Amino acid sequence: MDDCIFCKIVKGEINSTRIYEDEDVVAFNDIHPIAPVHFLMVPKVHVESLAQCDDSHGRLLGKMLLLAPKLAAEQGLAGFRTMINTGHEGGQEVFHLHVHVFGGGTTLPTT
Ligand code: 5GP
Ligand code: ZN
């Protein structure tokens, strides 16, 4: 996807603060954090949203969810919130599947 911000971040064409990368997934800090720690996990392959996923994405989705507590712990979080916004009505602004992970501070934002 030539005009996708997160594809460009995956390819290194847009700078980001990367905290993790493997053959399937990249994680980087959100540019507008809503908590002291706030990062996004994205698949390297372009998938628009959770609504476009099917059984073939099961391994990838499982991998990202299992990665969340590991990366959160590495970032110093004892607990965290995950969020996957799906579709305009779900608050999604970037149409490349991503899992928000955020935490730290005294109160957790809900959006
Ligand atoms: P959504 O609303 O689609 O779930 O969340 C998109 C997230 O991507 C937002 O939290 C926003 O701050 C973040 N974001 C948008 N553009 C960029 C960017 O260029 N770099 C980084 N690191 N984050 C971005
Ligand atoms: Zn993309």
Side-chain angles (χ1 to χ4, degrees), residues 5-6 9 28-32 85 91-94 98 100:
I5 295 171
F6 288 174
I9 285 178
F28 53 90
N29 287 332
D30 196 293
I31 203 165
H32 294 127
N85 296 328
Q92 188 174 5
E93 291 177 358
V94 177
H98 52 282
H100 294 256

Side-chain angles (χ1 to χ4, degrees), residues 20-25 41 57-71:
Y20 177 83
E21 177 174 7
D22 66 24
E23 65 276 22
D24 301 310
V25 178
M41 300 183 297
H57 299 96
R59 189 189 63 85
L60 183 62
L61 291 169
K63 184 173 188 173
M64 287 199 291
L65 285 185
L66 291 171
L67 200 50
K70 292 179 183 152
L71 297 185

